[in-house]
Amino acid sequence: MSVSFPFVIVPAGMTAHELHRERPMLFLAMITAASWKDHMRQMSLDVIFRRELAERTIITPKRTLGLVQSVLVYLSWYHYTFSHKTQQIFFLHHLVVGLALDIGLHRDYQPMAFPHRPRPKAPSPQDQRERERTFLGCYYLSSTIGAGLQKPNLLKHAPYMTEWAQKLKTVREYETDETISHLITLRQIDDQVQENLFSAGTRDLPLSDARILMHVRFLESQLDMWKKDSQNAGTERLLTLSSSFTEMSLHSVALRPAASEEQSTGTESVQINSLLSALEAGKRFLDAMLSFPVDEYYQISFSEWMRLPTVIMTVAKICMPNNASIASGWDYKTAQDRVRLDLCLEALCYRMQQLSTYDKVKQTHPDFWYAMRLINDLTRNWYMKKTKQPASSQPTPGVMVGCAFSERSGPSTGALATPSSEQGLPNFGMEMSGAGTHIGANNEDDPFAFLKDTDFDMEQFFDMGIWGDDVYTGMGFGNSGGTTPF
């Protein structure tokens, strides 16, 4: 369906009528994801999909490969239908894993044999590869969602997954099968990062701790091997997004404060090297995100979008002055100039503004692009205040100073225009174009008012995770009667 999620493939010769007849839920999931330009239609299709899913899983269970694939597609573009009031990310990804296990996708085909009945026909090699591809997609989503929400990944990597991925790469029935092999290997490394560095017993240990340092060095070597193996892969941008995030997560442990001054003595160079590695990895992620043409943003899956807030906040923390980093000799001014996070956020705002379907008359419900554009703009303002940077009055470069990107593809000689609330998006009394955020008199109608409060803790908002329930209920604006539209 998309290079950003190569685990569900619709054969090239299959028509929409055939897909609807043979796999109606997969067809419904696909048209729901593809309807992002018509937000109201997409919301209606989302309701239909969830009702049909409940009917086919709880009320009248139907265990089919097409049903598993439909939930994978639905979750992979979940950002279009995300609402903190109805979101069930963690539940749904375990539902799809349960469905996959129920129909035996985790093992070779083993039909039950009954007396006096012919033995069921084994699937063809092509059908078996489809089953394996689908189950690898279950593992991929389980791993990314678990890491993104900081919750346990209950579908652990197993040796047969590596074998299946390697077989798909060798046979290469589809061009993206090679990508699957690289993604599965990378997810295995990322699982180790989460287990060894972010579990309950290790998430607060500093880099100076011998156990943490050993794990960082070991996982660093695995990442280097993965990079060599994936050098000539066709889907470079997707793999860059995934690998950059894993590398940034690995080295972000350098942001943890040392338990004592004695413990930090002698490890300053190690901490600085890790901070630099995390900064460069975060920069690569942002550069890769901005290198996509705007008209291809809809193809980027939820797995990648849910990582963006973590990347932004990690890079921001590395670039903001704090006593621990200053004591180690970290030059936060150079870090700020290296990444120019404010310009990256402004460029993202521009792209998301171009994609938003909001219309004052026809479509008054803020969509995913509008919500992310607003959050990124407010984050930029917060970051500039924290780093005491002056407001920029110049047009926004696409990625870095001296390297502008066009809104469609790669480098260009022009610069992108600064996002402005005058270009058709609602500002609810808030001026978006400058570094300052001004709240107007009509703020009572603003569904995003909580974000604009002068005392709002943007760092806590990101650290708690914008995709889960905790950030909305825990900070006092997640009740069912709230007006937050996402």
Side-chain angles (χ1 to χ4, degrees):
M1 180 177 178
S2 170
V3 293
S4 65
F5 190 77
F7 301 95
V8 178
I9 304 292
V10 177
M14 179 173 280
T15 66
H17 287 289
E18 291 171 339
L19 181 62
H20 180 263
R21 182 179 65 251
E22 297 177 16
R23 300 185 182 184
M25 285 298 288
L26 178 57
F27 175 81
L28 182 55
M30 289 175 61
I31 63 172
T32 300
S35 298
W36 65 273
K37 288 187 177 181
D38 189 337
H39 189 61
M40 299 311 295
R41 175 184 293 176
Q42 190 171 55
M43 293 299 97
S44 298
L45 288 170
D46 176 56
V47 172
I48 295 172
F49 180 86
R50 287 189 283 116
R51 285 177 178 167
E52 287 295 321
L53 182 62
E55 177 70 30
R56 294 164 189 261
T57 56
I58 305 297
I59 302 173
T60 310
K62 298 182 184 298
R63 301 178 180 89
T64 65
L65 180 63
L67 184 59
V68 175
Q69 292 175 326
S70 73
V71 183
L72 289 179
V73 170
Y74 180 72
L75 280 175
S76 295
W77 278 266
Y78 194 67
H79 48 289
Y80 288 134
T81 57
F82 175 83
S83 168
H84 80 277
K85 303 170 191 174
T86 60
Q87 76 86 9
Q88 294 178 299
I89 304 171
F90 199 65
F91 168 78
L92 285 174
H93 101 267
H94 279 105
L95 173 67
V96 74
V97 169
L99 287 170
L101 294 174
D102 272 351
I103 63 176
L105 294 186
H106 61 297
R107 61 175 184 264
D108 292 335
Y109 185 68
Q110 297 175 353
M112 295 184 65
F114 294 95
H116 312 298
R117 288 189 179 183
R119 185 177 181 83
K121 186 179 179 181
S124 66
Q126 183 178 359
D127 291 341
Q128 182 60 31
R129 287 193 296 271
E130 183 179 22
R131 290 166 59 89
E132 294 169 357
R133 196 180 290 114
T134 301
F135 193 69
L136 290 175
C138 292
Y139 163 70
Y140 176 79
L141 270 187
S142 181
S143 175
T144 54
I145 290 175
L149 298 180
Q150 288 295 292
K151 293 185 178 182
N153 172 21
L154 302 184
L155 182 57
K156 301 296 185 182
H157 183 275
Y160 65 81
M161 295 181 183
T162 301
E163 295 174 10
W164 289 357
Q166 188 59 42
K167 182 172 66 175
L168 289 171
K169 180 182 178 181
T170 302
V171 176
R172 202 164 180 170
E173 181 181 358
Y174 299 100
E175 187 176 344
T176 53
D177 282 347
E178 179 186 7
T179 304
I180 291 178
S181 175
H182 296 309
L183 288 176
I184 295 302
T185 303
L186 187 61
R187 290 317 310 161
Q188 184 184 11
I189 297 173
D190 197 270
D191 284 348
Q192 295 180 65
V193 171
Q194 298 300 320
E195 182 178 351
N196 294 317
L197 302 179
F198 294 93
S199 61
T202 60
R203 66 166 57 102
D204 296 323
L205 294 177
L207 183 61
S208 54
D209 185 275
R211 293 166 294 175
I212 296 297
L213 185 58
M214 181 188 71
H215 286 308
V216 169
R217 291 287 182 261
F218 175 67
L219 292 167
E220 198 174 26
S221 65
Q222 289 193 58
L223 263 177
D224 289 340
M225 292 176 60
W226 180 90
K227 290 177 183 178
K228 291 178 182 178
D229 186 53
S230 61
Q231 273 183 345
N232 300 317
T235 52
E236 181 181 355
R237 283 186 299 196
L238 170 64
L239 294 177
T240 298
L241 285 174
S242 296
S243 62
S244 298
F245 183 82
T246 299
E247 187 170 0
M248 186 199 71
S249 299
L250 172 63
H251 291 287
S252 66
V253 296
L255 287 167
R256 300 173 184 174
S260 64
E261 188 174 340
E262 291 182 1
Q263 193 176 28
S264 63
T265 303
T267 61
E268 291 87 353
S269 61
V270 175
Q271 184 179 12
I272 289 177
N273 287 336
S274 282
L275 284 172
L276 181 59
S277 296
L279 181 71
E280 289 296 323
K283 179 182 180 297
R284 283 196 302 275
F285 183 98
L286 293 170
D287 287 350
M289 186 67 76
L290 289 168
S291 72
F292 278 85
V294 174
D295 56 8
E296 291 183 12
Y297 266 34
Y298 72 94
Q299 296 182 4
I300 302 176
S301 70
F302 179 56
S303 298
E304 308 306 328
W305 285 119
M306 75 182 302
R307 294 167 174 163
L308 179 61
T310 303
V311 172
I312 291 171
M313 187 50 61
T314 301
V315 171
K317 288 179 178 178
I318 294 173
C319 293
M320 291 190 301
N322 63 78
N323 294 334
S325 61
I326 293 174
S328 67
W330 177 250
D331 188 344
Y332 61 87
K333 284 289 187 182
T334 300
Q336 293 169 13
D337 293 338
R338 174 62 179 157
V339 178
R340 288 310 304 270
L341 181 60
D342 55 324
L343 297 183
C344 290
L345 289 172
E346 198 167 359
L348 282 170
C349 287
Y350 176 83
R351 286 157 170 76
M352 291 173 178
Q353 180 167 294
Q354 297 298 104
L355 291 167
S356 179
T357 61
Y358 174 84
D359 184 273
K360 292 181 180 179
V361 177
K362 298 179 181 178
Q363 205 287 92
T364 58
H365 190 284
D367 57 9
F368 167 75
W369 303 115
Y370 171 76
M372 289 300 291
R373 177 251 181 178
L374 178 61
I375 290 173
N376 284 334
D377 192 82
L378 291 169
T379 303
R380 173 180 172 272
N381 296 339
W382 166 83
Y383 173 75
M384 292 179 70
K385 290 176 183 177
K386 288 286 187 179
T387 55
K388 296 181 172 58
Q389 295 186 41
S392 173
S393 60
Q394 300 297 320
T396 306
V399 180
M400 293 290 295
V401 176
C403 181
F405 274 66
S406 73
E407 64 268 29
R408 287 193 56 81
S409 56
S412 70
T413 56
L416 299 178
T418 303
S420 170
S421 60
E422 298 174 359
Q423 298 182 22
L425 290 178
N427 61 11
F428 298 105
M430 183 183 72
E431 179 58 46
M432 297 291 294
S433 57
T437 301
H438 309 290
I439 302 174
N442 61 339
N443 198 43
E444 65 274 4
D445 298 325
D446 184 358
F448 296 96
F450 64 88
L451 284 170
K452 304 169 198 170
D453 192 290
T454 54
D455 296 325
F456 184 75
D457 190 340
M458 187 64 71
E459 186 173 348
Q460 183 186 10
F461 179 66
F462 277 90
D463 285 347
M464 292 178 70
I466 69 172
W467 305 112
D469 293 329
D470 294 344
V471 68
Y472 300 99
T473 56
M475 299 184 76
F477 48 84
N479 59 73
S480 58
T483 57
T484 309
F486 64 96

